Amino acid sequence: MSLRELLVFWFLLIALVVVVAAVTLAVVGGGSEAVLPEAEPDRVADALPESRPVVRGDIDALRLPVAPRGYRMAEVDDVLERLAAELAERDARIAELTAAAAQGRGAQAPGSAVDLHKDAHQEGR
């Protein structure tokens, strides 16, 4: 091995050690202050309204965050769970109103109507 080859070898070895040390320091962090900031997780900002029932436009506007291998299953499950609960609540309310309308078709006094609003139904619970 010639002197020139030996110098190149040592130069590359020292450069490799410096690069590995710099990367290690950057990843592990140096001292009390982290070099790499914590990444903000990509989460769905629940675009579904809390104050009113979900409508078709809310679902059309909903965009779920994409993870490296597709959608985040937990986020999709949460949204689907909420939609299922609201649909079940609506179905129960529709069944209740249908039954009340069928029972009281002729028996209701004038001026007493069944309230179709979700908020009025919840206040009565």
Side-chain angles (χ1 to χ4, degrees):
M1 198 185 261
S2 72
L3 180 61
R4 181 180 177 139
E5 290 174 341
L6 190 58
L7 285 174
V8 170
F9 170 76
W10 280 106
F11 176 76
L12 291 176
L13 183 64
I14 291 171
L16 178 67
V17 169
V18 169
V19 168
V20 169
V23 169
T24 303
L25 184 61
V27 171
V28 174
S32 62
E33 195 171 311
V35 176
L36 298 177
E38 289 295 320
E40 181 83 20
D42 185 21
R43 301 284 182 213
V44 64
D46 190 9
L48 299 177
E50 294 291 332
S51 61
R52 64 176 172 76
V54 176
V55 296
R56 172 69 188 252
D58 297 329
I59 304 301
D60 291 339
L62 182 66
R63 295 294 174 253
L64 298 171
V66 178
R69 299 184 96 192
Y71 289 97
R72 295 182 190 276
M73 288 189 291
E75 299 291 332
V76 174
D77 289 345
D78 290 345
V79 170
L80 292 177
E81 214 171 282
R82 174 149 179 229
L83 291 173
E86 285 201 19
L87 288 173
E89 183 179 331
R90 284 186 193 175
D91 289 346
R93 182 70 176 144
I94 289 170
E96 179 183 318
L97 293 173
T98 303
Q103 288 176 351
R105 283 229 152 103
Q108 282 186 357
S112 65
V114 177
D115 189 3
L116 299 176
H117 296 292
K118 178 180 176 182
D119 294 337
H121 173 67
Q122 289 177 345
E123 289 172 3
R125 284 186 187 171

